[in-house]
Amino acid sequence: MTRSTLIARLTERFPHLMGRDTEIAVRLILEAVGDALAQGSRVEVRGFGSFALSHRPPRVGRNPKSGEQVTVPAKHVPHFKPGKELRERVDAQLTNGIAPLK
Amino acid sequence: MTESVTKAELADVLFERLGLNKREAKDMVDCFFEEVREALERGDDVKLSGFGMFNLRTKSPRPGRNPKTGEEIPITARRVVTFHASNKLKAQIDSAYAERDHANG
């Protein structure tokens, strides 16, 4: 599923809204999640999962080609932890053998 | 900035910036996450350009252990969701941090 299929499906669910509105809604939701993370907040959606930042401290790495030492700067990377409902629903399909991976 | 952002705050954004009424805003946020869940449940990966990808991975069964008792218990085959942030999202987070580090000296 891509962003455009998601927008199309939401537009079907909200027939009284215009497609343009669902498109903006999807953009606003994703931007709000991104902005929260950029500000250092967590995002927690019950039944879906939570987005948080994990901190990677600076480290001394090596250029694998030249063997030269380089400092890799500290960075914050987003991390997603699936919620209970999502974990269970995704796994149930495998256990029941209904939908093979596409 | 320790408070978590939840569905309520996301719905507020739709109310304030898109002009959906409170009810519609809440429904839209619920449906948004439900659509993503349903896609993953169907076995579909979800690719949201500019944000990231939710991928499904099938894990083989492996032996596990109860860390408390040391007892061996098998971990069954399972399907799990992984998330990979897009380069755009990673860059947004990195530059926000760089700016704050700079501001704090």
Side-chain angles (χ1 to χ4, degrees):
Chain A
M1 181 162 88
T2 62
R3 186 192 274 252
S4 54
T5 13
L6 174 61
I7 293 167
R9 295 182 75 103
L10 287 172
T11 305
E12 274 175 40
R13 288 210 196 207
F14 294 84
H16 57 289
L17 291 184
M18 294 199 288
R20 174 103 188 106
D21 287 337
T22 11
E23 188 187 331
I24 297 172
V26 167
R27 181 164 53 74
L28 288 173
I29 293 171
L30 295 176
E31 275 177 10
V33 174
D35 289 348
L37 289 171
Q39 284 166 31
S41 300
R42 299 175 77 235
V43 178
E44 192 172 337
V45 180
R46 196 53 60 93
F48 183 78
S50 60
F51 296 89
L53 293 183
S54 48
H55 179 69
R56 302 264 188 277
R59 63 188 172 87
V60 179
R62 235 171 236 287
N63 179 328
K65 251 193 202 139
S66 62
E68 194 188 347
Q69 283 206 347
V70 282
T71 11
V72 182
K75 54 184 163 190
H76 289 84
V77 293
H79 175 77
F80 174 70
K81 185 173 182 244
K84 187 164 185 278
E85 188 192 338
L86 179 61
R87 279 203 312 270
E88 289 175 353
R89 283 174 60 178
V90 160
D91 197 36
Q93 297 294 316
L94 179 71
T95 329
N96 304 334
I98 297 168
L101 277 189
K102 283 169 197 165
Chain B
M1 230 23 105
T2 49
E3 285 281 292
S4 287
V5 168
T6 64
K7 286 199 289 187
E9 284 77 35
L10 298 176
D12 282 346
V13 171
L14 299 184
F15 168 71
E16 283 161 20
R17 308 233 342 240
L18 186 57
L20 298 187
N21 67 41
K22 297 251 178 185
R23 173 85 221 190
E24 283 171 333
K26 183 186 176 295
D27 287 350
M28 181 61 82
V29 171
D30 282 338
C31 288
F32 174 95
F33 290 104
E34 179 55 20
E35 284 292 347
V36 176
R37 265 195 305 253
E38 282 179 14
L40 293 167
E41 192 178 18
R42 285 194 303 271
D44 244 355
D45 288 339
V46 177
K47 196 186 282 185
L48 300 172
S49 58
F51 183 76
M53 271 179 79
F54 295 92
N55 293 316
L56 291 160
R57 296 184 65 96
T58 310
K59 303 270 198 179
S60 326
R62 61 189 167 92
R65 215 175 259 284
N66 179 330
K68 253 191 202 139
T69 62
E71 185 194 356
E72 271 206 46
I73 31 172
I75 298 172
T76 53
R78 61 193 61 206
R79 181 183 288 173
V80 296
V81 178
T82 58
F83 173 70
H84 298 273
S86 71
N87 286 331
K88 190 181 161 197
L89 179 60
K90 286 187 204 162
Q92 185 193 355
I93 291 166
D94 258 352
S95 66
Y97 265 87
E99 254 169 55
R100 267 202 300 279
D101 288 351
H102 189 69
N104 299 334

